[in-house]
Amino acid sequence: MDLPDVSALTVAILGGTGDQGRGLALRLVGAGQRVLIGSRTAERGRAAGAEVGAEGGDNASVAAAADVVIVAVPWAGHAELLAELRAELAGKIVVDCVNPLGFDKQGPYALAVEEGSAAQQAAALLPDSRVTAAFHHVSAPLLLDPEVASLDIDVLVLGDDREAAAVVQALAGLIPGMRGIWAGRLRNAHQVEALTANLIAINKRYKAHAGVRVTDV
Protein backbone atom coordinates (compact mmCIF):
# COMPACT_ATOMS: atom_id res chain seq x y z
CA MET A 1 0.00 0.00 0.00
CA ASP A 2 1.13 3.57 -0.66
CA LEU A 3 2.21 5.44 2.46
CA PRO A 4 0.14 8.49 3.46
CA ASP A 5 1.18 12.13 3.58
CA VAL A 6 1.93 12.82 7.24
CA SER A 7 3.27 16.36 6.90
CA ALA A 8 0.28 17.96 8.65
CA LEU A 9 0.33 15.63 11.67
CA THR A 10 1.49 16.70 15.11
CA VAL A 11 3.69 14.16 16.89
CA ALA A 12 4.02 14.04 20.67
CA ILE A 13 6.75 12.10 22.44
CA LEU A 14 6.01 10.94 25.98
CA GLY A 15 9.26 10.56 27.86
CA GLY A 16 10.79 12.97 25.39
CA THR A 17 13.32 14.19 27.93
CA GLY A 18 15.24 10.89 27.64
CA ASP A 19 17.92 10.33 25.01
CA GLN A 20 15.77 8.24 22.66
CA GLY A 21 12.82 10.60 22.86
CA ARG A 22 14.94 13.71 22.32
CA GLY A 23 16.77 12.01 19.47
CA LEU A 24 13.56 11.10 17.67
CA ALA A 25 12.26 14.62 18.26
CA LEU A 26 15.43 16.14 16.83
CA ARG A 27 15.22 14.06 13.65
CA LEU A 28 11.50 14.60 13.11
CA VAL A 29 11.82 18.35 13.67
CA GLY A 30 14.66 18.33 11.15
CA ALA A 31 12.31 16.66 8.68
CA GLY A 32 9.79 19.46 9.11
CA GLN A 33 7.36 17.76 11.47
CA ARG A 34 5.62 19.56 14.34
CA VAL A 35 6.79 17.80 17.50
CA LEU A 36 5.73 18.14 21.13
CA ILE A 37 7.89 16.77 23.95
CA GLY A 38 6.15 15.59 27.08
CA SER A 39 7.46 15.10 30.60
CA ARG A 40 6.02 14.69 34.07
CA THR A 41 6.28 18.46 34.49
CA ALA A 42 5.55 21.08 31.84
CA GLU A 43 8.78 22.91 32.72
CA ARG A 44 10.96 19.89 31.92
CA GLY A 45 9.01 19.22 28.75
CA ARG A 46 9.49 22.78 27.52
CA ALA A 47 13.19 22.75 28.40
CA ALA A 48 13.77 19.48 26.51
CA GLY A 49 11.78 20.79 23.57
CA ALA A 50 13.84 23.95 23.39
CA GLU A 51 17.01 21.85 23.07
CA VAL A 52 15.84 20.23 19.83
CA GLY A 53 13.60 22.90 18.33
CA ALA A 54 10.33 21.32 19.49
CA GLU A 55 7.50 22.52 21.67
CA GLY A 56 7.01 21.00 25.12
CA GLY A 57 4.70 20.53 28.05
CA ASP A 58 3.45 17.93 30.50
CA ASN A 59 2.60 14.45 29.22
CA ALA A 60 -1.16 14.89 29.42
CA SER A 61 -1.27 18.20 27.54
CA VAL A 62 1.00 17.13 24.68
CA ALA A 63 -0.86 13.80 24.33
CA ALA A 64 -4.16 15.64 24.02
CA ALA A 65 -2.76 18.05 21.41
CA ALA A 66 -1.15 15.44 19.11
CA ASP A 67 -2.32 13.18 16.31
CA VAL A 68 0.43 10.58 16.85
CA VAL A 69 1.95 9.85 20.27
CA ILE A 70 5.27 8.04 20.65
CA VAL A 71 5.74 6.33 24.03
CA ALA A 72 9.43 6.41 24.96
CA VAL A 73 9.28 6.07 28.73
CA PRO A 74 11.20 3.61 30.93
CA TRP A 75 9.53 0.21 31.20
CA ALA A 76 9.10 0.63 34.95
CA GLY A 77 6.68 3.54 34.44
CA HIS A 78 5.00 2.30 31.25
CA ALA A 79 1.73 0.88 32.59
CA GLU A 80 1.14 3.62 35.14
CA LEU A 81 1.58 6.44 32.63
CA LEU A 82 -0.62 4.90 29.93
CA ALA A 83 -3.38 4.13 32.41
CA GLU A 84 -3.32 7.77 33.53
CA LEU A 85 -3.54 9.05 29.95
CA ARG A 86 -6.26 6.76 28.60
CA ALA A 87 -8.66 9.68 27.99
CA GLU A 88 -6.04 11.92 26.36
CA LEU A 89 -4.86 9.09 24.09
CA ALA A 90 -8.33 8.02 22.94
CA GLY A 91 -8.56 8.10 19.16
CA LYS A 92 -4.81 8.72 18.75
CA ILE A 93 -2.23 6.62 16.96
CA VAL A 94 0.04 5.44 19.77
CA VAL A 95 3.54 4.24 18.87
CA ASP A 96 5.07 2.11 21.62
CA CYS A 97 8.86 1.86 21.44
CA VAL A 98 9.49 0.57 24.96
CA ASN A 99 11.79 -2.42 25.44
CA PRO A 100 11.12 -4.45 28.63
CA LEU A 101 14.68 -5.45 29.49
CA GLY A 102 16.55 -6.58 32.57
CA PHE A 103 20.28 -6.48 33.24
CA ASP A 104 22.47 -8.74 35.34
CA LYS A 105 26.09 -9.93 35.39
CA GLN A 106 25.50 -11.82 32.13
CA GLY A 107 24.22 -8.73 30.35
CA PRO A 108 20.81 -7.64 28.99
CA TYR A 109 17.84 -9.98 28.68
CA ALA A 110 14.18 -9.72 27.76
CA LEU A 111 11.67 -9.56 30.60
CA ALA A 112 8.48 -11.59 30.63
CA VAL A 113 5.40 -9.37 30.20
CA GLU A 114 2.02 -10.68 31.29
CA GLU A 115 0.26 -9.31 28.20
CA GLY A 116 3.01 -10.65 25.92
CA SER A 117 4.89 -7.43 25.17
CA ALA A 118 4.99 -3.75 26.05
CA ALA A 119 2.95 -2.99 22.93
CA GLN A 120 0.28 -5.52 23.88
CA GLN A 121 0.18 -4.07 27.37
CA ALA A 122 -0.37 -0.64 25.80
CA ALA A 123 -3.19 -2.02 23.65
CA ALA A 124 -4.85 -3.54 26.72
CA LEU A 125 -4.60 -0.28 28.67
CA LEU A 126 -5.69 1.90 25.73
CA PRO A 127 -8.70 0.17 24.13
CA ASP A 128 -9.78 3.43 22.47
CA SER A 129 -6.38 4.11 20.85
CA ARG A 130 -4.79 2.78 17.66
CA VAL A 131 -1.71 1.12 19.14
CA THR A 132 1.36 0.31 17.06
CA ALA A 133 4.95 -0.61 17.91
CA ALA A 134 8.10 0.84 16.31
CA PHE A 135 11.50 2.52 16.82
CA HIS A 136 12.82 -0.17 19.19
CA HIS A 137 16.24 -0.56 17.58
CA VAL A 138 17.22 3.04 16.81
CA SER A 139 20.43 4.15 18.53
CA ALA A 140 19.91 7.24 20.68
CA PRO A 141 23.57 8.36 20.30
CA LEU A 142 23.23 8.26 16.51
CA LEU A 143 19.93 10.15 16.61
CA LEU A 144 21.50 12.87 18.74
CA ASP A 145 24.81 13.10 16.86
CA PRO A 146 24.76 16.16 14.54
CA GLU A 147 27.61 14.62 12.54
CA VAL A 148 25.38 11.70 11.49
CA ALA A 149 23.44 12.99 8.51
CA SER A 150 21.78 9.68 7.58
CA LEU A 151 20.85 6.64 9.66
CA ASP A 152 21.44 3.24 8.05
CA ILE A 153 18.49 1.45 9.63
CA ASP A 154 15.05 -0.03 9.05
CA VAL A 155 12.29 0.51 11.59
CA LEU A 156 10.08 -2.53 12.15
CA VAL A 157 6.48 -1.35 12.52
CA LEU A 158 3.85 -3.63 14.03
CA GLY A 159 0.13 -3.15 14.45
CA ASP A 160 -3.30 -4.64 14.02
CA ASP A 161 -4.49 -1.41 12.35
CA ARG A 162 -2.70 -1.34 8.98
CA GLU A 163 -3.63 2.29 8.27
CA ALA A 164 -2.18 3.41 11.58
CA ALA A 165 0.94 1.35 10.92
CA ALA A 166 1.29 3.02 7.50
CA VAL A 167 1.30 6.42 9.18
CA VAL A 168 4.14 5.29 11.44
CA GLN A 169 6.03 3.85 8.47
CA ALA A 170 5.70 7.20 6.71
CA LEU A 171 6.97 9.09 9.77
CA ALA A 172 10.00 6.80 9.99
CA GLY A 173 10.66 7.37 6.30
CA LEU A 174 10.96 11.12 6.84
CA ILE A 175 14.28 10.60 8.61
CA PRO A 176 17.17 10.37 6.10
CA GLY A 177 18.42 6.81 5.66
CA MET A 178 15.55 5.27 7.62
CA ARG A 179 12.73 3.08 6.28
CA GLY A 180 9.55 1.98 8.00
CA ILE A 181 8.87 -1.71 7.30
CA TRP A 182 5.58 -3.36 8.29
CA ALA A 183 6.55 -6.39 10.37
CA GLY A 184 3.30 -8.01 11.48
CA ARG A 185 0.63 -7.75 14.11
CA LEU A 186 1.06 -6.69 17.72
CA ARG A 187 1.15 -10.32 18.83
CA ASN A 188 4.60 -10.43 17.19
CA ALA A 189 5.96 -7.46 19.15
CA HIS A 190 7.64 -9.52 21.87
CA GLN A 191 10.50 -10.77 19.73
CA VAL A 192 11.05 -7.31 18.22
CA GLU A 193 11.31 -5.76 21.68
CA ALA A 194 13.50 -8.63 22.89
CA LEU A 195 15.92 -8.27 19.96
CA THR A 196 17.10 -5.05 21.58
CA ALA A 197 18.95 -7.15 24.15
CA ASN A 198 20.91 -8.81 21.34
CA LEU A 199 21.73 -5.45 19.78
CA ILE A 200 23.00 -4.11 23.11
CA ALA A 201 25.27 -7.15 23.37
CA ILE A 202 26.50 -6.57 19.81
CA ASN A 203 27.17 -2.91 20.54
CA LYS A 204 29.18 -3.75 23.63
CA ARG A 205 31.24 -6.44 21.88
CA TYR A 206 31.96 -4.48 18.70
CA LYS A 207 31.84 -0.94 20.12
CA ALA A 208 29.12 -0.12 17.60
CA HIS A 209 25.63 1.33 17.28
CA ALA A 210 24.02 -1.65 15.57
CA GLY A 211 20.63 -1.51 13.93
CA VAL A 212 18.51 -3.71 11.66
CA ARG A 213 18.22 -3.84 7.87
CA VAL A 214 15.64 -6.00 6.07
CA THR A 215 16.88 -7.47 2.78
CA ASP A 216 14.97 -7.93 -0.49
CA VAL A 217 12.28 -5.38 0.42
Side-chain angles (χ1 to χ4, degrees):
M1 71 189 289
D2 293 332
L3 297 181
D5 177 5
V6 295
S7 58
L9 299 182
T10 296
V11 179
I13 303 178
L14 306 183
T17 56
D19 287 347
Q20 186 185 33
R22 284 188 302 113
L24 286 171
L26 179 67
R27 296 291 173 162
L28 289 171
V29 167
Q33 208 72 25
R34 182 185 180 219
V35 178
L36 313 175
I37 286 184
S39 183
R40 287 193 175 276
T41 67
E43 183 179 7
R44 286 190 65 200
R46 286 192 292 267
E51 290 181 23
V52 296
E55 301 169 56
D58 62 87
N59 285 322
S61 64
V62 302
D67 304 295
V68 179
V69 181
I70 298 174
V71 181
V73 299
W75 168 241
H78 182 261
E80 179 182 3
L81 177 65
L82 295 186
E84 290 175 355
L85 298 181
R86 175 174 172 174
E88 289 82 357
L89 293 172
K92 315 284 183 174
I93 295 175
V94 175
V95 188
D96 201 295
C97 62
V98 176
N99 300 304
L101 299 177
F103 296 85
D104 61 18
K105 293 180 180 179
Q106 297 182 63
Y109 62 96
L111 296 174
V113 179
E114 182 179 353
E115 295 86 352
S117 64
Q120 288 169 291
Q121 182 183 85
L125 291 169
L126 304 171
D128 301 316
S129 301
R130 304 167 73 188
V131 177
T132 65
F135 299 112
H136 302 90
H137 308 140
V138 184
S139 165
L142 292 184
L143 288 170
L144 289 166
D145 188 343
E147 299 298 315
V148 178
S150 179
L151 285 90
D152 183 22
I153 190 170
D154 287 334
V155 171
L156 303 181
V157 181
L158 302 100
D160 296 332
D161 182 329
R162 290 293 295 274
E163 291 184 355
V167 168
V168 181
Q169 288 176 254
L171 285 171
L174 294 176
I175 299 173
M178 188 179 288
R179 294 190 307 172
I181 303 292
W182 190 76
R185 293 182 174 272
L186 281 186
R187 68 181 184 182
N188 293 317
H190 167 74
Q191 58 264 35
V192 173
E193 296 170 4
L195 182 61
T196 306
N198 302 88
L199 293 175
I200 293 172
I202 290 169
N203 290 339
K204 183 176 180 180
R205 172 65 177 82
Y206 295 99
K207 296 180 173 56
H209 297 291
V212 171
R213 273 296 194 199
V214 179
T215 62
D216 201 29
V217 174

